Amino acid sequence: MDERRRVIADGAVLTEGSRIAKIGKSSDLRHESRAEFEIDAKGMIILPGLVDTHVHLAQAMIRGCADDTSLIDWLQKFVWPLQGNYDAQDGKASAELCILEMLKSGTTTFLESLLHTRYGFDGIANSVETSGIRGILSKTVMGIPGYGTAGGIMHPGMVEDGETCLREVEGHFKRWNGRASGRIRVWYGARSLGGCSPELYRQISAGAEALKTGVTMHLNEVREDADYTKREFGKLPAEFMDEVGLVNSNVVYAHGVWLSEPEWKILGKKGATVAHCPSSNMKLGSGIAKVPEMIKAGVNIGLGCDGGPSNNSYDMIREMKLASLSQKARLLNPLVMDAETVLELATINGARAVGLDKEIGSVEVNKKADLTLISFKSPHLVPAYNPISHLVYAATGSDVDTVIIDGRIIMKNRAVMTLDEEKVIREANERGSKLLERAGITIKPKWECV
Ligand SMILES: [Zn+2]
């Protein structure tokens, strides 16, 4: 993954401080430079760290709590009541669980989409700082306690006030944006259609422009999104978002399943990104986004794992396989979405989505040393004639061996150095059970438990 898309056999990367200093054949690099220490990557591939462009940190702890149910029930009966009972310690425990899972499956940068105040922004930002991951944290902005497409009323614990939200984003931005050597960024997380008035969307747009920061939002996840904006504003969803000043290169729209051709053109022309979440869209029966068509129309497409109740994992390597296979099945064409295109979605396109393509998303000299080393020694990856094919079609997140972020080794031999793995898992288990109890929700298999 460099500008020329070279695959370097017996390659090596030399890092200096937080950046990549040299790339080449290992014999040449050894000859030219003396490294302070070496990581033996024999039998592994070196990739740019993966970029997950749509993540809900707070949903890791409610993994598997809303399976095999419709989107409306999914939100109203399970996800909202559970998340509406979170406190700041739950938010932190879930974020650490999620970050641990992302690190262990090769994700080095993520875009969090909707952080409710009750999840505790400072605690979560602190976890990003100490874990060593690169994270863009979007604070929720909403003004209307509903979801236009569903006609549903939100759980009271999830409702927030527009003016307060805007003020909080500014506060978080001042306190956290650029912290941890620039690894933390703060964005606006606009609520889905029906959760904000046109005026509030305009305020978000103005705020993002003033702070020179980004905005992310769910758009056209379900067909009803288009019905809503047509009914309320006589426009398609992306046309409406354009009118309120929210279509530009600092905006990432999650899902985009039901975007139509005129909307692809608007997004493509203005440089907005769609975060494609194939697992979530298929599991919730939302549909399959028209990704090859959107790419052709010039839309930047990133890849996202979404959340614990919709995916139910945060493994970008597994997500890559589905991103490819779902399109081949939809279009009855095995030639679409080849492995190379999918790898671009998960790396450089994701970096572009979050405005960091000059810094991360590929292995190039002077870029940040955000690297993922994947072991190709297991039987399911042997023999390896085409590593890109194996990576997309055969590997899983648990093949990741080593993760480097900002030039710092975060995981080696699958051991994460920055988080106490046992403690993170124990806390998530304990807090998860208490949360279900508080929300009065029981999750069990449909089959009798004996
Ligand atoms: Zn989402």
Side-chain angles (χ1 to χ4, degrees):
M1 277 305 300
D2 68 1
E3 217 168 37
R4 286 182 282 157
R5 303 289 186 269
R6 290 178 302 165
V7 177
I8 305 174
D10 192 25
V13 176
L14 179 75
T15 72
E16 251 175 41
S18 68
R19 296 199 180 261
I20 295 170
K22 278 182 187 167
I23 300 160
K25 292 274 184 193
S26 59
S27 51
D28 294 344
L29 252 68
R30 270 221 187 86
H31 192 68
E32 289 168 21
S33 322
R34 191 170 298 272
E36 232 171 274
F37 65 91
E38 284 183 23
I39 297 171
D40 184 3
K42 191 168 268 156
M44 299 190 203
I45 57 166
I46 305 176
L47 268 189
L50 303 173
V51 182
D52 191 330
T53 55
H54 187 64
V55 172
H56 297 277
L57 294 171
Q59 289 184 356
M61 212 167 71
I62 54 169
R63 187 194 316 275
C65 286
D67 293 341
D68 310 319
T69 181
S70 75
L71 179 67
I72 306 314
D73 280 354
W74 186 90
L75 281 170
Q76 288 185 324
K77 290 190 184 158
F78 301 102
V79 174
W80 282 342
L82 284 166
Q83 295 193 145
N85 269 291
Y86 267 64
D87 63 24
Q89 281 166 300
D90 296 324
K92 190 175 176 67
S94 185
E96 291 196 349
L97 178 69
C98 189
I99 290 169
L100 183 59
E101 185 183 353
M102 288 194 281
L103 289 172
K104 293 195 85 125
S105 50
T107 295
T108 56
T109 297
F110 68 90
L111 169 58
E112 152 67 54
S113 162
L114 285 169
L115 286 177
H116 191 289
T117 302
R118 68 179 316 130
Y119 309 154
F121 193 98
D122 289 345
I124 290 171
N126 238 312
S127 298
V128 173
E129 184 165 28
T130 52
S131 69
I133 203 166
R134 203 178 288 285
I136 295 114
L137 302 173
S138 309
K139 161 75 189 81
T140 305
V141 181
M142 65 167 291
I144 306 165
Y147 182 31
T149 56
I153 299 302
M154 209 174 237
H155 184 274
M158 292 302 291
V159 176
E160 298 192 73
D161 163 71
E163 288 303 320
T164 313
C165 291
L166 291 171
R167 226 179 20 250
E168 286 187 14
V169 177
E170 285 169 29
H172 297 323
F173 185 90
K174 273 192 201 124
R175 213 162 39 256
W176 286 103
N177 193 65
R179 278 269 295 270
S181 315
R183 282 189 288 107
I184 299 176
R185 311 264 163 149
V186 178
W187 280 25
Y188 288 83
R191 264 262 171 224
S192 316
L193 291 168
C196 297
S197 65
E199 183 48 32
L200 188 52
Y201 284 129
R202 283 196 185 91
Q203 285 175 288
I204 293 169
S205 163
E209 213 181 305
L211 297 177
K212 295 192 173 34
T213 195
V215 181
T216 189
M217 174 181 163
H218 294 66
L219 192 72
N220 287 47
E221 178 175 0
V222 288
R223 198 191 337 220
E224 289 86 346
D225 272 356
D227 300 339
Y228 172 79
T229 52
K230 265 189 223 153
R231 188 176 69 236
E232 298 290 321
F233 311 107
K235 288 189 160 43
L236 292 165
E239 291 172 343
F240 169 71
M241 296 322 299
D242 192 24
E243 193 184 79
V244 295
L246 281 175
V247 181
N248 58 59
S249 57
N250 297 326
V251 178
V252 174
Y253 287 115
H255 304 296
V257 176
W258 292 92
L259 288 166
S260 57
E261 201 173 348
E263 298 176 284
W264 310 335
K265 285 186 182 150
I266 296 168
L267 299 179
K269 207 173 99 197
K270 300 210 165 178
T273 290
V274 171
H276 175 43
C277 307
S279 292
S280 168
N281 299 151
M282 289 194 279
K283 182 160 180 277
L284 284 165
S286 304
I288 301 173
K290 297 185 172 65
V291 172
E293 293 93 326
M294 286 197 271
I295 292 174
K296 221 171 161 190
V299 183
N300 183 49
I301 308 284
L303 202 56
C305 290
D306 207 357
S310 66
N311 183 313
N312 299 2
S313 82
Y314 295 82
D315 178 344
M316 283 284 283
I317 298 180
R318 285 164 73 182
E319 204 64 21
M320 284 199 285
K321 180 171 183 171
L322 281 170
S324 172
L325 268 48
S326 55
Q327 299 300 331
K328 293 179 194 298
R330 177 179 70 87
L331 294 164
L332 307 177
N333 181 359
L335 306 184
V336 298
M337 288 297 275
D338 58 17
E340 288 79 3
T341 304
V342 175
L343 182 56
E344 289 175 341
L345 259 57
T347 54
I348 191 68
N349 288 15
R352 190 173 303 129
V354 295
L356 293 174
D357 48 318
K358 298 266 188 297
E359 292 284 75
I360 58 166
S362 58
V363 182
E364 289 179 68
V365 170
N366 288 331
K367 277 200 167 183
K368 288 281 187 189
D370 284 15
L371 302 165
T372 290
L373 275 59
I374 299 170
S375 170
F376 267 37
K377 293 170 195 159
S378 295
H380 61 281
L381 298 169
V382 174
Y385 306 119
N386 176 355
I388 303 167
S389 154
H390 273 18
L391 182 67
V392 172
Y393 298 128
T396 76
S398 37
D399 295 312
V400 174
D401 180 272
T402 296
V403 170
I404 297 167
I405 303 173
D406 220 29
R408 181 177 168 212
I409 301 170
I410 304 295
M411 179 170 88
K412 205 174 169 197
N413 299 327
R414 293 205 58 70
V416 174
M417 331 277 204
T418 50
L419 291 168
D420 181 342
E421 295 189 43
E422 253 176 57
K423 183 167 167 255
V424 169
I425 290 167
R426 192 178 57 241
E427 288 230 335
N429 270 324
E430 286 171 7
R431 293 201 157 269
S433 307
K434 283 186 192 144
L435 176 76
L436 285 169
E437 224 172 275
R438 270 204 313 280
I441 290 174
T442 311
I443 304 296
K444 54 178 202 258
K446 284 176 192 157
W447 295 347
E448 191 190 3
C449 281
V450 291

